[in-house]
Amino acid sequence: MIKSTYKNKSRTRNRRRLLHQGSSAQSNLFVKQLSTAIKRLSPSWQACIPVACMIVLAWGCAAVAQTPAPAGPTTADLKVALDTLWVAIAAFLVFFMNAGFCMLETGFCRQKNAVNVLAKNLIVFALATVAFWAIGFGLMFGNGNDFIGLNGFFLQGADNSPATGDAYKGVFSALNWAGVPLAAKFLFQLVFAGTAATIVSGAVAERIKFIDFLIFSLLLVGIAYAITGHWIWGGGWLYKKGFFDFAGSTVVHSVGGWAALMGAALLGPRIGKYQDGQIVALPGHNMSIATLGCLILWLGWFGFNPGSVMAADPNAITHIALTTNMAGAVGGIAATITAWLYLGKPDLSMIINGILAGLVAVTASCAFITIPSSIIIGLIAGVLVVFAVTFFDKIGIDDPVGATSVHLVCGVWGTLAVGLFAVGTGNPAFPWYTDGLGPAKGLFAGGGLGQFGVQLLGVLTVGGITVLLSTIFWLALKATLGIRVSREEEIEGLDIGEHGMEAYNGFVKEAGATGFTEAGIHSSGVSRSGDIPNIL
């Protein structure tokens, strides 16, 4: 019995051993066959095998470790993000306009002053940044009274942006309509403030002391610009009267133009500008970069005007871009034809200033008018700027780049145009233009003279206070530091006198005050022959 049991167990172990050996043999055979098959593959296919294994393993791990996904952003969150992105891009475009001003003003001035013009345009935005952050933004948009803001200096104070309307709780209530973070609001308004200061640079070019321009820029951005801006964009008394300036024909351009006018008047004309009762042109040295500057400014205006919506509203942005572009284009055409007929030649400087004139003029009304109206506004601006340049020359205001003609004259015209062409609220083609967010109907839309009267009041009051403050600033600087360089420095050029360097070292230099060659220059440094009539 015991032997029988032992034999059965032994037989079972042998059977298992045989089965295992057979299985091992089959496994070895399969491995050999698989190895042979792999070796027959090309190297590229062989390299794919470990990658495929890793993918399969990763899928397995992902399936095991999968957890519920967190909740995504809400529609409101996405809107804030999109609006903020648009406002930032628009601010970057407006900032790039500083390059345009650099090129334009440098090209319109003589080569011996190129470094000075470039230095002013570069440093002015740095100064504007500090001044607007420290005091200007608070004076302009901080909660206060109808005339001045009293909160928000250094960007301090309560703020729960991007909350809007009644949900906003903070010290910048005038901007509670913009559903973007406070930093985006400040950045966009900062580039506008810097533009106002840059306007002054061209009008006082080629004879102002560098230090005086820096100080004046701080005072303009920190005080004068901020105060008048509060009246209109900061919820002040003009806003409550119903005055509207969508993107700054008055707030930015006219204010800069008034300040530039007073600076040019108090400085006096450049040496050689007026001789024997005649106006003598002092041509710019590089019209190529002046033209480039114009194109950069034109591009920047697509941030300046459409960006003022402060939201990524496709209908509003595209409409404003079209009215802006149309006014600039027609302004350039009108200035070309006017200069051709009035001055005898299609002057390039007039073409440039005509484009800018149309852009400045439409800035106040671009969101409130039809495209045909923008054509009319640009057309009138293009004609105005040609006559304005010659008018200021005749009354002794020497403006090397035409800043007062472009920004002041056409800024005033554009502000008044709101009261003539605004279509009024409730128009289905203007869904962004609702009660409280736009002017009443203009005269030519059947609204009478009511809105035009409010616009005229704004032009006069903003002009009056800007002239007063600018005059005080300029006279104070004149009495303390003196605002004009010496005669010797002016004749030699501000690049050497103020900065000790040249923009075009090694190039042929201008011989005298007028910039003509030595054949036309006498020992006094004033040209008496070969002068070109003024056809700016």
Side-chain angles (χ1 to χ4, degrees):
M1 185 69 181
I2 294 173
K3 288 184 177 180
S4 176
T5 302
Y6 175 78
K7 288 180 180 180
N8 289 336
K9 289 182 178 180
S10 176
R11 196 178 294 116
T12 300
R13 284 197 298 270
N14 291 335
R15 189 183 298 115
R16 288 177 179 174
R17 186 180 301 110
L18 290 173
L19 289 173
H20 177 71
Q21 289 175 349
S23 175
S24 299
Q26 290 178 352
S27 297
N28 291 335
L29 179 61
F30 175 75
V31 170
K32 289 179 179 179
Q33 291 175 341
L34 180 62
S35 176
T36 303
I38 292 174
K39 289 179 180 179
R40 290 176 182 175
L41 295 174
S42 67
S44 299
W45 282 105
Q46 291 179 13
C48 292
I49 293 174
V51 176
C53 294
M54 292 176 63
I55 292 174
V56 172
L57 289 173
W59 276 345
C61 292
V64 172
Q66 188 176 27
T67 57
T74 65
T75 302
D77 294 334
L78 292 174
K79 184 181 186 309
V80 170
L82 189 60
D83 290 346
T84 303
L85 178 62
W86 165 241
V87 171
I89 292 172
F92 302 154
L93 284 171
V94 180
F95 170 78
F96 191 53
M97 292 174 75
N98 285 284
F101 280 115
C102 275
M103 298 297 97
L104 180 74
E105 294 178 17
T106 303
F108 274 176
C109 292
R110 292 166 292 178
Q111 72 175 51
K112 63 184 181 180
N113 299 310
V115 169
N116 181 256
V117 174
L118 291 170
K120 287 190 300 178
N121 278 276
L122 187 59
I123 195 64
V124 71
F125 187 77
L127 293 170
T129 297
V130 176
F132 201 62
W133 166 73
I135 185 172
F137 191 73
L139 289 177
M140 191 166 178
F141 295 105
N143 295 342
N145 53 47
D146 286 349
F147 296 93
I148 194 170
L150 300 172
N151 292 282
F153 303 112
F154 300 97
L155 280 184
Q156 299 299 307
D159 180 85
N160 67 335
S161 298
T164 59
D166 294 336
Y168 176 79
K169 306 297 179 185
V171 298
F172 302 107
S173 299
L175 291 173
N176 67 1
W177 55 272
V180 296
L182 177 62
K185 298 175 184 179
F186 173 78
L187 178 65
F188 190 72
Q189 294 301 329
L190 167 63
V191 293
F192 275 48
T195 300
T198 305
I199 292 169
V200 180
S201 171
V204 299
E206 302 200 288
R207 74 267 200 206
I208 191 173
K209 289 183 177 180
F210 190 67
I211 184 63
D212 289 274
F213 175 75
L214 302 187
I215 296 172
F216 181 83
S217 298
L218 286 169
L219 295 172
L220 178 68
V221 173
I223 300 175
Y225 170 82
I227 290 174
T228 54
H230 181 80
W231 294 358
I232 301 168
W233 289 348
W237 72 275
L238 273 176
Y239 172 77
K240 293 177 180 178
K241 287 280 187 182
F243 180 92
F244 274 92
D245 179 5
F246 182 74
S249 286
T250 285
V251 176
V252 179
H253 297 287
S254 289
V255 167
W258 286 117
L261 176 64
M262 299 316 298
L266 290 172
L267 274 170
R270 291 167 291 173
I271 296 172
K273 179 67 176 179
Y274 298 95
Q275 300 173 34
D276 302 324
Q278 299 295 315
I279 303 169
V280 177
L282 305 179
H285 81 286
N286 194 330
M287 296 306 293
S288 298
I289 64 172
T291 303
L292 174 61
C294 175
L295 290 170
I296 292 174
L297 290 171
W298 198 343
L299 172 65
W301 241 283
F302 293 119
F304 207 97
N305 288 2
S308 295
V309 177
M310 298 286 279
D313 183 330
N315 293 319
I317 289 172
T318 51
H319 177 82
I320 292 167
L322 285 176
T323 55
T324 298
N325 187 68
M326 192 64 73
V330 174
I333 295 169
T336 303
I337 296 172
T338 304
W340 211 333
L341 296 174
Y342 180 51
L343 304 174
K345 297 288 184 180
D347 191 303
L348 175 57
S349 66
M350 287 300 186
I351 299 173
I352 291 172
N353 279 338
I355 292 170
L356 300 179
L359 294 169
V360 168
V362 81
T363 295
S365 61
C366 54
F368 314 129
I369 59 172
T370 62
I371 292 177
S373 295
S374 71
I375 292 174
I376 298 173
I377 292 171
L379 176 68
I380 294 174
V383 174
L384 275 176
V385 75
V386 175
F387 290 101
V389 167
T390 55
F391 169 76
F392 284 121
D393 273 347
K394 289 176 181 177
I395 65 172
I397 302 295
D398 182 15
D399 181 349
V401 305
T404 50
S405 302
V406 171
H407 298 279
L408 173 55
V409 174
C410 296
V412 168
W413 156 238
T415 304
L416 297 177
V418 174
L420 298 176
F421 298 101
V423 299
T425 58
N427 190 315
F430 296 75
W432 61 89
Y433 183 4
T434 57
D435 290 337
L437 295 179
K441 283 186 178 181
L443 176 64
F444 299 141
L449 287 170
Q451 187 65 48
F452 182 85
V454 174
Q455 298 300 115
L456 179 60
L457 174 65
V459 166
L460 296 176
T461 52
V462 170
I465 190 64
T466 304
V467 167
L468 175 62
L469 292 175
S470 296
T471 303
I472 292 172
F473 298 156
W474 285 123
L475 289 177
L477 290 170
K478 187 175 183 178
T480 53
L481 300 174
I483 58 176
R484 183 159 181 158
V485 298
S486 67
R487 177 183 176 86
E488 291 73 21
E489 285 180 307
E490 185 174 344
I491 292 174
E492 183 182 25
L494 274 64
D495 289 1
I496 296 297
E498 290 275 17
H499 305 278
M501 64 174 59
E502 298 174 323
Y504 305 98
N505 185 38
F507 283 61
V508 176
K509 298 180 177 60
E510 298 162 351
T514 59
F516 303 124
T517 59
E518 291 186 6
I521 302 294
H522 295 259
S523 59
S524 63
V526 176
S527 175
R528 295 180 183 172
S529 64
D531 290 341
I532 301 173
N534 180 43
I535 55 171
L536 293 179

